[in-house]
């Protein structure tokens, strides 16, 4: 199974998280417009990535005939539901520059939790899940 598209999206997602981190360190209120814009762009990539995983990747792995991969796929999909929901809610809430300017520390606290979770998940997929898929 060719998963190059998924890997490329992971690079985009990790880059987006890194950019949000840099902008936040430079000052949330001062860079609120840029943060809101970048968060919306990141949300588009994440949403597309999740949709493709749900429609193509997970079902293909579950039907692959490889019980280990099918089981791993179900576990990864189930684990992602909570992470995805938290990220989508976060992106909806904080995609507004005015709110970012008013509540920079609330954004920082939530970003530290939600983006850290997404980041860790991407790294785990890169390290464990994708190599297992490529070994099929």
């Amino acid at each position: 199974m060719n998963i190059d598209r998924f890997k490329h999206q992971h690079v985009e997602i990790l880059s987006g998280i890194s950019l949000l981190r840099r902008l936040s360190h430079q000052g949330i209120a001062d860079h609120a417009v840029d943060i809101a814009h970048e968060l919306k762009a990141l949300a588009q990539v994440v949403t597309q990535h999740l949709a493709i995983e749900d429609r193509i990747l997970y079902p293909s792995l579950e039907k692959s005939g490889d019980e280990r991969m099918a089981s791993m796929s179900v576990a990864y999909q189930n684990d992602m539901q909570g992470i995805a929901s938290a990220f989508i809610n976060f992106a909806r809430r904080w995609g507004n520059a005015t709110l970012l300017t008013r509540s920079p520390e609330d954004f920082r606290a939530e970003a530290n939790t939600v983006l850290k979770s997404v980041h860790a998940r991407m790294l785990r997929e890169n390290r464990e899940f994708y190599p297992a898929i490529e070994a099929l």
Side-chain angles (χ1 to χ4, degrees):
M1 172 177 277
N2 185 335
I3 57 170
D4 289 344
R5 181 178 189 181
F6 296 103
K7 290 171 145 183
H8 178 71
Q9 287 173 330
H10 275 199
V11 170
E12 287 183 72
I13 292 166
L14 293 170
S15 295
I17 291 170
S18 180
L19 178 55
L20 286 170
R21 184 178 294 136
R22 279 194 309 276
L23 289 169
S24 295
H25 287 311
Q26 293 171 6
I28 294 168
D30 293 337
H31 296 282
V33 171
D34 292 333
I35 291 170
H37 174 76
E38 293 302 329
L39 184 55
K40 288 175 186 174
L42 177 61
Q44 286 181 323
V45 175
V46 169
T47 302
Q48 181 184 39
H49 183 75
L50 293 171
I52 296 169
E53 281 183 335
D54 285 344
R55 281 192 316 244
I56 298 170
L57 182 65
Y58 297 133
S60 295
L61 293 172
E62 290 164 28
K63 296 174 187 172
S64 69
D66 184 310
E67 277 302 310
R68 184 180 74 87
M69 279 310 308
S71 176
M72 184 183 264
S73 176
V74 168
Y76 268 83
Q77 186 174 26
N78 290 340
D79 179 58
M80 192 62 204
Q81 288 174 355
I83 296 167
S85 178
F87 175 80
I88 290 165
N89 290 332
F90 168 78
R92 283 185 185 141
R93 178 175 182 199
W94 295 107
N96 178 308
T98 303
L99 183 58
L100 286 163
T101 302
R102 287 185 191 149
S103 304
E105 291 311 311
D106 291 339
F107 168 77
R108 186 182 311 280
E110 194 172 343
N112 282 337
T113 300
V114 172
L115 296 179
K116 183 177 183 178
S117 177
V118 173
H119 186 270
R121 171 58 187 248
M122 297 296 103
L123 294 181
R124 188 169 145 230
E125 285 184 8
N126 289 345
R127 187 178 57 248
E128 298 170 5
F129 192 42
Y130 288 176
I133 293 169
E134 291 177 319
L136 278 177

